[in-house]
Amino acid sequence: MKPMNLTDLSSFLSERSIKPSFQRIKILNYLIHNHIHPTVNDIYDSLISEIPSLSKTTIYNTLNIFAKNKIVKEINIEENELRYDINTHEHGHFKCIECQEVFDFDIAFEDSAKKSLDGFELLECEMNIKGVCKTCKNIK
Amino acid sequence: MKPMNLTDLSSFLSERSIKPSFQRIKILNYLIHNHIHPTVNDIYDSLISEIPSLSKTTIYNTLNIFAKNKIVKEINIEENELRYDINTHEHGHFKCIECQEVFDFDIAFEDSAKKSLDGFELLECEMNIKGVCKTCKNIK
DNA sequence: ATCATTGCAAACACTTTGCATACGC
DNA sequence: GCGTATGCAAAGTGTTTGCAATGAT
């Protein structure tokens, strides 16, 4: 998703019947500019200096609204916490167990899975892989 | 994995340097006989009548040992809880949002993902899909 | 004035940790 | 007897809920 100015962000939300509050716009803007699969805490830490009154509850609320409206996708790659990803094309996630970074990779879900699930209605697909990334592999 | 008698279960653990305690054998046996991707609570509820002293801590400990030894796989299909699956062949998981059941489906990870991740070391692959299963789709 | 959003505090649920007891070789 | 496994209780952590205050139209 391409960066947007304030007016664009505002209409983006309005079009989806989400009232474009200051906090929601800031969170959306953060997600568009930071494709790092952030956690709620990542978002909080990044925005708190700009919005000192910001509460994590608001971030949770906002992300839940965004998820319901398919603006973001919840990523279950870690047992204990959710990460969020602005919805673009379908892709998988690779988490490096050394540097902890999460990478995107292309994937064609139809090929592999959908033929085994004939007759099922597929709503959300998620593919997560853990391993060691190229960089960390070369360091060792 | 095929059902085993007590001696088999015991050697299965010993071979992996895991001391075959009563609780561990019972939990392993449960996993082999119940391919329902149980949570810790599922296992606890099923075994508590047979082992009244059983503690959830022991189940957590045991499953963590099993996971480290690749006997079970942790399934991250739900945000808030882990499910466990006896390790067999590589397959994906489909969770029906109506009946909550988790189904297995065949998948060839190599095809779709591995070509995009050339140079990366892949350790754990997980593919989770949510949707509506055949049966629930026909009821509606 | 009304209605939705915000944000604090408390509640919740799953998991881990600390530690004393019990068990097995 | 020694070392490990067990299991209770408490702590930890991510997320949700209740509710009063605030904000927008």
Side-chain angles (χ1 to χ4, degrees):
Chain A
M1 200 171 296
K2 279 176 195 157
M4 300 183 191
N5 60 34
L6 200 133
T7 318
D8 290 340
L9 291 165
S10 193
S11 354
F12 179 87
L13 291 175
S14 297
E15 282 162 18
R16 288 160 179 77
S17 314
I18 300 170
K19 207 172 270 182
S21 75
F22 180 65
Q23 286 85 340
R24 288 173 181 169
I25 288 173
K26 284 292 184 185
I27 293 170
L28 176 61
N29 189 51
Y30 175 86
L31 290 167
I32 291 175
H33 284 88
N34 298 278
H35 292 199
I36 55 165
H37 320 88
T39 62
V40 164
N41 280 324
D42 292 335
I43 300 173
Y44 180 82
D45 292 343
S46 290
L47 295 181
I48 190 64
S49 60
E50 206 178 340
I51 317 166
S53 72
L54 183 64
S55 141
K56 285 186 190 174
T57 306
T58 301
I59 302 177
Y60 280 110
N61 288 338
T62 302
L63 291 173
N64 285 338
I65 292 170
F66 286 2
K68 265 195 202 101
N69 286 272
K70 309 263 179 199
I71 296 171
V72 295
K73 193 168 185 173
E74 298 175 333
I75 310 176
N76 261 311
I77 203 167
E78 278 304 316
E79 303 80 47
N80 53 330
E81 67 187 5
L82 276 177
R83 295 179 167 274
Y84 292 87
D85 201 9
I86 267 279
N87 241 334
T88 51
H89 62 292
E90 214 160 49
H91 61 268
H93 295 108
F94 176 93
K95 175 157 185 178
C96 176
I97 58 168
E98 299 286 343
C99 66
Q100 308 295 320
E101 205 169 323
V102 177
F103 301 84
D104 291 343
F105 64 85
D106 289 329
I107 177 180
F109 284 119
E110 319 77 45
D111 299 358
S112 34
K114 290 183 183 165
K115 78 176 69 152
S116 327
L117 288 168
D118 190 39
F120 287 54
E121 186 184 350
L122 310 190
L123 298 173
E124 285 169 55
C125 298
E126 191 172 3
M127 180 153 185
N128 298 322
I129 298 184
K130 286 189 193 173
V132 184
C133 75
K134 229 181 230 179
T135 316
C136 291
K137 217 175 134 191
N138 292 333
I139 290 169
K140 276 198 299 190
Chain B
M1 199 171 294
K2 278 177 195 154
M4 299 182 192
N5 61 34
L6 201 135
T7 317
D8 290 340
L9 292 165
S10 193
S11 352
F12 180 89
L13 292 175
S14 297
E15 281 162 18
R16 288 158 180 78
S17 314
I18 300 169
K19 207 172 269 183
S21 76
F22 181 64
Q23 285 86 340
R24 288 173 181 170
I25 289 174
K26 283 293 183 185
I27 293 170
L28 176 60
N29 189 51
Y30 176 86
L31 291 166
I32 292 175
H33 284 88
N34 298 277
H35 293 199
I36 56 167
H37 319 88
T39 62
V40 164
N41 280 322
D42 292 335
I43 300 173
Y44 181 82
D45 291 343
S46 292
L47 295 181
I48 189 63
S49 59
E50 206 178 339
I51 317 168
S53 72
L54 183 65
S55 141
K56 285 187 189 173
T57 306
T58 301
I59 302 178
Y60 279 110
N61 287 338
T62 302
L63 291 173
N64 285 339
I65 292 171
F66 286 1
K68 266 195 203 100
N69 286 272
K70 309 266 180 196
I71 297 172
V72 295
K73 194 168 186 172
E74 298 175 331
I75 310 176
N76 261 312
I77 204 166
E78 277 305 316
E79 304 81 47
N80 54 331
E81 68 186 5
L82 277 177
R83 294 179 168 273
Y84 292 87
D85 202 9
I86 267 278
N87 241 334
T88 51
H89 61 292
E90 214 161 50
H91 61 268
H93 294 108
F94 175 93
K95 176 159 183 177
C96 176
I97 59 170
E98 300 285 343
C99 66
Q100 308 296 318
E101 203 168 326
V102 177
F103 302 84
D104 292 343
F105 65 85
D106 289 328
I107 177 178
F109 284 119
E110 319 77 46
D111 299 357
S112 34
K114 290 183 182 165
K115 78 176 69 155
S116 327
L117 287 169
D118 190 39
F120 286 55
E121 184 185 351
L122 311 190
L123 296 174
E124 284 170 54
C125 298
E126 192 171 1
M127 179 151 188
N128 298 322
I129 298 184
K130 286 188 195 175
V132 184
C133 75
K134 229 180 232 183
T135 315
C136 291
K137 217 175 136 191
N138 291 334
I139 291 169
K140 276 199 300 192

